Amino acid sequence: MTQYAIYFNQQWVGDHPAEWFQTRVEPSTAVVRDMEAAGVLVFAGGLEEDLADAFSADATSGTISITDGPYAETAEYLGGITIIDVPDLETARMWAGRVAEGCGWPQEVRVIR
């Protein structure tokens, strides 16, 4: 079995009215329920969108430094992540497609090493 991270950057979601987001609740939660039923779900969740609520930890200087806000200002930032544990790449691709379809925006997938 191999673990994969299926994730999206918040900017990939696009601008939609609140009503559109309501149409994504059932399909996206259905995918999570299906993953749970298949025994492949490790974790799934969206992340806080307000970067003012983020903080970072850095110990590269030899001293731990905790600061408010993101570690670095970037044009894109992580919006959500799903971790699955599946037997092969084809299964990972299938679940990634289901997540993309359920959410209504693109997903990127990477093996967790």
Side-chain angles (χ1 to χ4, degrees):
M1 299 288 274
T2 304
Q3 290 187 336
Y4 291 84
I6 303 169
Y7 59 92
F8 66 93
N9 283 337
Q10 190 62 42
Q11 291 69 24
W12 303 350
V13 173
D15 294 323
H16 305 284
E19 299 80 27
W20 183 88
F21 285 102
Q22 286 302 312
T23 69
R24 306 319 315 153
V25 172
E26 177 51 36
S28 61
T29 57
V31 174
V32 172
R33 285 192 306 269
D34 290 349
M35 288 178 177
E36 288 173 330
V40 301
L41 181 68
V42 175
F43 172 82
L47 302 177
E48 171 61 50
E49 293 180 37
D50 187 352
L51 292 183
D53 292 336
F55 66 90
S56 62
D58 181 6
T60 57
S61 69
T63 302
I64 298 171
S65 171
I66 308 291
T67 56
D68 291 335
Y71 177 70
E73 297 294 329
T74 61
E76 294 187 339
Y77 56 91
L78 193 61
I81 188 166
T82 300
I83 308 295
I84 57 173
D85 194 5
V86 295
D88 54 47
L89 179 61
E90 287 309 309
T91 305
R93 289 175 182 266
M94 183 274 296
W95 285 116
R98 294 275 317 275
V99 171
E101 181 179 49
C103 290
W105 51 79
Q107 303 289 316
E108 189 166 303
V109 182
R110 295 172 67 187
V111 171
I112 297 175
R113 301 216 184 265

